[in-house]
Protein backbone atom coordinates (compact mmCIF):
# COMPACT_ATOMS: atom_id res chain seq x y z
CA UNK A 1 0.00 0.00 0.00
CA UNK A 2 1.22 3.48 -0.90
CA UNK A 3 1.00 6.10 1.84
CA UNK A 4 0.41 9.56 0.36
CA UNK A 5 0.56 12.75 2.41
CA UNK A 6 -1.31 15.87 1.27
CA UNK A 7 -0.33 19.41 2.27
CA UNK A 8 -1.20 22.89 1.00
CA UNK A 9 1.82 25.13 0.26
CA UNK A 10 -0.40 28.01 -0.89
CA UNK A 11 -4.17 28.19 -0.75
CA UNK A 12 -6.46 26.41 1.72
CA UNK A 13 -8.29 23.21 0.78
CA UNK A 14 -11.97 23.14 1.68
CA UNK A 15 -12.80 20.16 3.85
CA UNK A 16 -15.60 18.90 1.62
CA UNK A 17 -13.11 18.50 -1.21
CA UNK A 18 -10.84 16.40 0.98
CA UNK A 19 -13.85 14.27 1.94
CA UNK A 20 -14.68 13.75 -1.74
CA UNK A 21 -11.14 12.57 -2.45
CA UNK A 22 -11.24 10.26 0.56
CA UNK A 23 -14.46 8.75 -0.78
CA UNK A 24 -12.56 7.82 -3.95
CA UNK A 25 -9.61 6.44 -2.01
CA UNK A 26 -11.96 4.32 0.11
CA UNK A 27 -12.51 2.19 -2.97
CA UNK A 28 -8.78 1.73 -3.59
CA UNK A 29 -7.12 -0.68 -1.15
CA UNK A 30 -3.72 0.14 -2.68
CA UNK A 31 -3.71 3.69 -1.24
CA UNK A 32 -3.65 5.32 2.18
CA UNK A 33 -4.19 9.07 1.94
CA UNK A 34 -3.43 11.43 4.82
CA UNK A 35 -4.54 15.06 4.66
CA UNK A 36 -2.31 17.13 6.92
CA UNK A 37 -4.41 19.31 9.25
CA UNK A 38 -2.60 22.33 7.80
CA UNK A 39 -4.58 21.90 4.55
CA UNK A 40 -7.59 23.40 6.34
CA UNK A 41 -5.83 26.28 8.11
CA UNK A 42 -6.69 29.84 7.19
CA UNK A 43 -4.44 32.90 7.29
CA UNK A 44 -5.77 35.49 4.87
CA UNK A 45 -5.20 34.10 1.38
CA UNK A 46 -3.02 31.29 2.68
CA UNK A 47 -3.51 27.86 4.26
CA UNK A 48 -1.76 29.07 7.40
CA UNK A 49 1.11 31.52 7.69
CA UNK A 50 4.46 30.85 6.05
CA UNK A 51 5.89 28.94 9.01
CA UNK A 52 2.77 26.76 9.30
CA UNK A 53 2.83 25.85 5.63
CA UNK A 54 6.59 25.24 5.68
CA UNK A 55 6.39 23.02 8.75
CA UNK A 56 3.61 20.91 7.21
CA UNK A 57 5.51 20.44 3.96
CA UNK A 58 8.67 19.38 5.79
CA UNK A 59 6.71 17.05 8.05
CA UNK A 60 5.27 15.30 4.98
CA UNK A 61 8.49 15.34 2.96
CA UNK A 62 10.75 14.08 5.75
CA UNK A 63 8.45 11.35 7.06
CA UNK A 64 10.12 8.03 6.14
CA UNK A 65 6.72 6.30 6.22
CA UNK A 66 5.29 8.58 3.49
CA UNK A 67 5.76 7.38 -0.09
CA UNK A 68 4.62 10.53 -1.93
CA UNK A 69 3.69 14.15 -1.25
CA UNK A 70 0.64 15.46 -3.09
CA UNK A 71 -0.16 19.16 -3.08
CA UNK A 72 -3.75 19.99 -2.18
CA UNK A 73 -4.21 23.30 -4.00
CA UNK A 74 -2.37 25.85 -6.08
CA UNK A 75 -2.91 29.50 -5.30
CA UNK A 76 -0.14 31.94 -4.50
CA UNK A 77 2.23 31.11 -1.66
CA UNK A 78 4.55 28.22 -2.53
CA UNK A 79 7.35 30.57 -3.63
CA UNK A 80 7.44 32.13 -0.16
CA UNK A 81 8.50 28.85 1.46
CA UNK A 82 10.32 27.03 -1.36
CA UNK A 83 13.93 27.94 -0.49
CA UNK A 84 13.48 27.15 3.20
CA UNK A 85 11.73 23.90 2.31
CA UNK A 86 14.68 22.74 0.21
CA UNK A 87 17.09 23.66 3.01
CA UNK A 88 15.06 21.67 5.53
CA UNK A 89 14.56 18.46 3.58
CA UNK A 90 16.29 15.31 4.78
CA UNK A 91 17.33 12.09 3.06
CA UNK A 92 13.77 10.77 3.39
CA UNK A 93 12.55 13.43 0.97
CA UNK A 94 14.90 12.22 -1.76
CA UNK A 95 13.05 8.97 -2.38
CA UNK A 96 9.54 10.23 -3.08
CA UNK A 97 7.57 12.06 -5.78
CA UNK A 98 6.04 15.50 -5.21
CA UNK A 99 2.96 16.18 -7.32
CA UNK A 100 1.08 19.33 -8.29
CA UNK A 101 0.90 22.21 -10.75
CA UNK A 102 -0.02 25.90 -10.93
CA UNK A 103 1.79 27.89 -8.20
CA UNK A 104 3.21 24.69 -6.70
CA UNK A 105 5.47 24.80 -9.74
CA UNK A 106 7.80 26.95 -7.63
CA UNK A 107 8.37 23.96 -5.38
CA UNK A 108 8.63 21.53 -8.29
CA UNK A 109 11.30 23.74 -9.86
CA UNK A 110 13.22 24.07 -6.60
CA UNK A 111 13.09 20.32 -5.96
CA UNK A 112 14.29 19.59 -9.49
CA UNK A 113 17.12 22.09 -9.20
CA UNK A 114 18.22 20.56 -5.89
CA UNK A 115 17.91 16.98 -7.12
CA UNK A 116 15.46 16.12 -4.35
CA UNK A 117 12.77 13.51 -5.00
CA UNK A 118 10.78 13.43 -8.24
CA UNK A 119 9.01 16.63 -9.27
CA UNK A 120 5.80 15.84 -11.17
CA UNK A 121 3.40 18.22 -12.92
CA UNK A 122 0.09 16.52 -12.16
CA UNK A 123 -3.47 17.21 -10.97
CA UNK A 124 -3.93 18.62 -7.48
CA UNK A 125 -6.03 16.89 -4.85
CA UNK A 126 -8.34 19.91 -4.90
CA UNK A 127 -9.13 19.31 -8.59
CA UNK A 128 -11.88 17.00 -7.35
CA UNK A 129 -14.06 20.16 -7.38
CA UNK A 130 -13.97 20.35 -11.18
CA UNK A 131 -16.28 18.51 -13.56
CA UNK A 132 -14.42 15.30 -14.31
CA UNK A 133 -12.29 15.77 -11.22
CA UNK A 134 -12.64 12.15 -10.15
CA UNK A 135 -10.81 11.10 -13.31
CA UNK A 136 -7.97 13.48 -12.43
CA UNK A 137 -7.72 11.96 -8.94
CA UNK A 138 -7.60 8.43 -10.33
CA UNK A 139 -4.96 9.52 -12.87
CA UNK A 140 -2.63 10.54 -10.06
CA UNK A 141 -3.30 7.45 -7.96
CA UNK A 142 -2.81 5.17 -10.98
CA UNK A 143 0.51 6.83 -11.81
CA UNK A 144 1.68 6.45 -8.24
CA UNK A 145 0.73 2.79 -8.52
CA UNK A 146 3.01 2.35 -11.54
CA UNK A 147 0.68 2.95 -14.50
CA UNK A 148 1.76 5.16 -17.39
CA UNK A 149 -1.77 5.59 -18.78
CA UNK A 150 -2.08 9.16 -17.49
CA UNK A 151 1.20 10.46 -18.88
CA UNK A 152 1.33 13.27 -21.41
CA UNK A 153 1.42 11.31 -24.69
CA UNK A 154 4.21 13.31 -26.34
CA UNK A 155 6.82 12.35 -23.73
CA UNK A 156 9.87 10.80 -25.36
CA UNK A 157 13.51 10.11 -24.53
CA UNK A 158 14.26 13.80 -23.89
CA UNK A 159 14.02 15.31 -20.40
CA UNK A 160 10.87 17.35 -19.89
CA UNK A 161 9.43 19.87 -17.47
CA UNK A 162 5.99 21.49 -17.34
CA UNK A 163 4.84 24.76 -15.78
CA UNK A 164 2.08 27.27 -15.56
CA UNK A 165 3.25 30.08 -17.84
CA UNK A 166 3.10 32.82 -15.20
CA UNK A 167 4.88 30.64 -12.67
CA UNK A 168 7.70 29.90 -15.12
CA UNK A 169 8.04 33.60 -15.95
CA UNK A 170 8.29 34.46 -12.25
CA UNK A 171 10.85 31.70 -11.68
CA UNK A 172 13.16 32.96 -14.41
CA UNK A 173 16.24 34.66 -12.98
CA UNK A 174 15.62 33.48 -9.40
CA UNK A 175 17.55 31.01 -7.27
CA UNK A 176 14.69 28.50 -7.62
CA UNK A 177 15.06 28.17 -11.40
CA UNK A 178 16.57 24.86 -12.54
CA UNK A 179 18.85 24.38 -15.53
CA UNK A 180 16.46 23.40 -18.32
CA UNK A 181 18.96 23.15 -21.18
CA UNK A 182 18.16 20.18 -23.40
CA UNK A 183 14.62 19.87 -22.00
CA UNK A 184 11.27 19.94 -23.72
CA UNK A 185 9.31 22.62 -21.87
CA UNK A 186 5.52 22.50 -21.67
CA UNK A 187 3.46 25.50 -20.55
CA UNK A 188 -0.20 26.20 -19.82
CA UNK A 189 -2.16 29.18 -18.53
CA UNK A 190 -5.58 30.18 -17.23
CA UNK A 191 -7.53 33.44 -16.93
CA UNK A 192 -4.98 35.71 -18.61
CA UNK A 193 -5.65 38.17 -21.44
CA UNK A 194 -3.94 37.28 -24.69
CA UNK A 195 -1.75 40.38 -24.49
CA UNK A 196 -0.56 39.10 -21.10
CA UNK A 197 0.14 35.68 -22.60
CA UNK A 198 2.19 37.40 -25.31
CA UNK A 199 4.09 39.36 -22.64
CA UNK A 200 4.80 36.18 -20.70
CA UNK A 201 6.13 34.44 -23.79
CA UNK A 202 8.36 37.43 -24.50
CA UNK A 203 9.84 36.99 -21.04
CA UNK A 204 10.22 33.22 -20.78
CA UNK A 205 11.76 32.77 -24.22
CA UNK A 206 14.58 35.11 -23.15
CA UNK A 207 15.33 32.78 -20.23
CA UNK A 208 15.21 29.37 -21.91
CA UNK A 209 18.45 29.11 -23.89
CA UNK A 210 19.37 25.77 -25.39
CA UNK A 211 16.10 23.99 -24.60
CA UNK A 212 15.10 21.14 -26.90
CA UNK A 213 11.78 22.77 -27.70
CA UNK A 214 8.50 24.09 -26.37
CA UNK A 215 5.02 22.57 -26.30
CA UNK A 216 1.88 24.59 -25.67
CA UNK A 217 -0.73 23.32 -23.26
CA UNK A 218 -4.20 24.78 -22.93
CA UNK A 219 -4.61 28.53 -22.52
CA UNK A 220 -8.07 28.57 -20.97
CA UNK A 221 -10.68 30.98 -19.63
CA UNK A 222 -9.21 33.88 -21.60
CA UNK A 223 -10.86 37.18 -20.51
CA UNK A 224 -12.39 39.33 -23.19
CA UNK A 225 -10.34 42.43 -23.91
CA UNK A 226 -11.67 45.82 -25.01
CA UNK A 227 -10.40 45.01 -28.51
CA UNK A 228 -9.30 41.79 -30.26
CA UNK A 229 -5.64 40.99 -29.73
CA UNK A 230 -5.34 39.60 -33.25
CA UNK A 231 -3.37 36.44 -32.46
CA UNK A 232 -4.37 33.24 -30.72
CA UNK A 233 -2.28 31.27 -28.21
CA UNK A 234 -0.74 29.05 -30.87
CA UNK A 235 0.23 32.07 -32.97
CA UNK A 236 1.82 33.72 -29.93
CA UNK A 237 3.85 30.64 -29.04
CA UNK A 238 5.04 30.20 -32.62
CA UNK A 239 5.97 33.88 -32.91
CA UNK A 240 8.16 34.02 -29.82
CA UNK A 241 9.74 30.63 -30.47
CA UNK A 242 10.65 31.79 -33.96
CA UNK A 243 12.05 35.07 -32.63
CA UNK A 244 14.32 33.27 -30.17
CA UNK A 245 15.24 30.15 -32.15
CA UNK A 246 13.35 27.74 -29.91
CA UNK A 247 11.85 24.74 -31.75
CA UNK A 248 8.06 24.85 -31.48
CA UNK A 249 6.89 21.27 -31.05
CA UNK A 250 3.10 21.66 -31.04
CA UNK A 251 0.61 20.97 -28.30
CA UNK A 252 0.66 19.23 -24.93
CA UNK A 253 -2.35 17.81 -23.09
CA UNK A 254 -1.89 19.88 -19.92
CA UNK A 255 -3.93 22.71 -18.44
CA UNK A 256 -5.93 24.06 -15.51
CA UNK A 257 -8.64 21.47 -16.03
CA UNK A 258 -9.45 17.84 -15.16
CA UNK A 259 -7.84 16.63 -18.40
CA UNK A 260 -4.41 17.77 -17.14
CA UNK A 261 -1.99 14.94 -17.96
CA UNK A 262 1.03 13.91 -15.92
CA UNK A 263 4.52 15.19 -16.74
CA UNK A 264 7.38 13.94 -14.55
CA UNK A 265 10.33 16.32 -14.61
CA UNK A 266 13.33 14.74 -16.28
CA UNK A 267 12.73 11.43 -17.98
CA UNK A 268 9.33 9.79 -17.60
CA UNK A 269 10.75 6.27 -17.67
CA UNK A 270 13.03 7.01 -14.73
CA UNK A 271 10.10 8.44 -12.78
CA UNK A 272 8.05 5.30 -13.26
CA UNK A 273 10.82 3.01 -12.17
CA UNK A 274 12.31 5.15 -9.39
Amino acid sequence: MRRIAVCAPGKRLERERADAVLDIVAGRPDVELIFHRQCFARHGHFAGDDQTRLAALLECANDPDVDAVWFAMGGYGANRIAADAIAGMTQSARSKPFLGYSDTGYLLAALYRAGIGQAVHAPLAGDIRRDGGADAIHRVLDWLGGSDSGLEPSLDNRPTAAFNLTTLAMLAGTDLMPDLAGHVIMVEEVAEHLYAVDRLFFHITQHLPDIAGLRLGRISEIPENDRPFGSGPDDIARYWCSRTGIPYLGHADIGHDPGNRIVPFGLARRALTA
Side-chain angles (χ1 to χ4, degrees):
M1 175 183 291
R2 281 190 168 266
R3 196 164 189 257
I4 305 166
V6 184
C7 62
K11 190 166 62 175
R12 164 191 165 95
L13 177 70
E14 298 303 323
R15 201 170 288 272
E16 59 267 24
R17 296 179 189 173
D19 290 341
V21 176
L22 288 171
D23 286 344
I24 290 175
V25 171
R28 298 191 58 131
D30 59 323
V31 173
E32 180 186 3
L33 194 64
I34 305 103
F35 282 91
H36 195 287
R37 63 189 178 280
Q38 171 270 329
C39 291
F40 313 112
R42 192 188 302 276
H43 183 80
H45 166 87
F46 306 106
D49 62 20
D50 288 355
Q51 285 306 309
T52 298
R53 299 193 323 279
L54 174 62
L57 173 56
L58 289 176
E59 186 177 333
C60 294
N62 293 337
D63 186 341
D65 295 324
V66 165
D67 299 304
V69 177
W70 193 8
F71 299 132
M73 294 290 290
Y76 179 72
N79 62 312
R80 294 168 63 112
I81 65 172
D84 288 337
I86 294 301
M89 288 186 182
T90 66
Q91 188 63 33
S92 292
R94 296 183 175 273
S95 61
K96 62 193 63 170
F98 295 77
L99 301 97
Y101 72 103
S102 190
D103 266 57
T104 66
Y106 293 107
L107 282 168
L108 300 181
L111 288 161
Y112 193 53
R113 174 176 174 137
I116 296 174
Q118 173 66 60
V120 185
H121 184 281
L124 299 157
D127 281 337
I128 188 66
R129 76 192 190 278
R130 303 179 187 273
D131 290 340
D135 290 339
I137 301 304
H138 282 296
R139 190 176 308 123
V140 169
L141 299 179
D142 289 345
W143 183 81
L144 287 169
S147 171
D148 64 357
S149 62
L151 289 175
E152 155 58 34
S154 69
L155 294 174
D156 54 25
N157 60 355
R158 293 173 291 186
T160 304
F163 295 96
N164 169 261
L165 184 59
T166 298
T167 300
L168 179 57
M170 295 301 101
L171 278 164
T174 72
D175 57 4
L176 302 180
M177 182 72 167
D179 180 3
L180 298 174
H183 288 60
V184 173
I185 304 303
M186 303 179 182
V187 293
E188 52 80 21
E189 188 53 88
V190 64
E192 292 286 354
H193 289 86
L194 286 173
Y195 68 80
V197 172
D198 191 83
R199 181 192 296 141
L200 291 165
F201 266 102
F202 157 72
H203 183 69
I204 68 163
T205 52
Q206 306 298 310
H207 289 273
L208 296 175
D210 303 319
I211 65 170
L214 183 140
R215 286 189 178 275
L216 181 66
R218 286 179 285 283
I219 309 295
S220 58
E221 300 179 28
I222 301 169
E224 187 173 344
N225 197 24
D226 62 350
R227 69 203 71 186
F229 183 67
S231 300
D234 195 71
D235 300 318
I236 293 169
R238 289 178 182 276
Y239 174 82
W240 286 109
C241 284
S242 177
R243 281 276 300 260
T244 53
I246 293 172
Y248 180 65
L249 304 177
H251 293 161
D253 193 6
I254 63 170
H256 268 69
D257 55 56
N260 188 24
R261 301 293 285 269
I262 293 172
V263 182
F265 283 38
L267 295 173
R269 182 171 297 177
R270 289 182 186 175
L272 286 169
T273 57

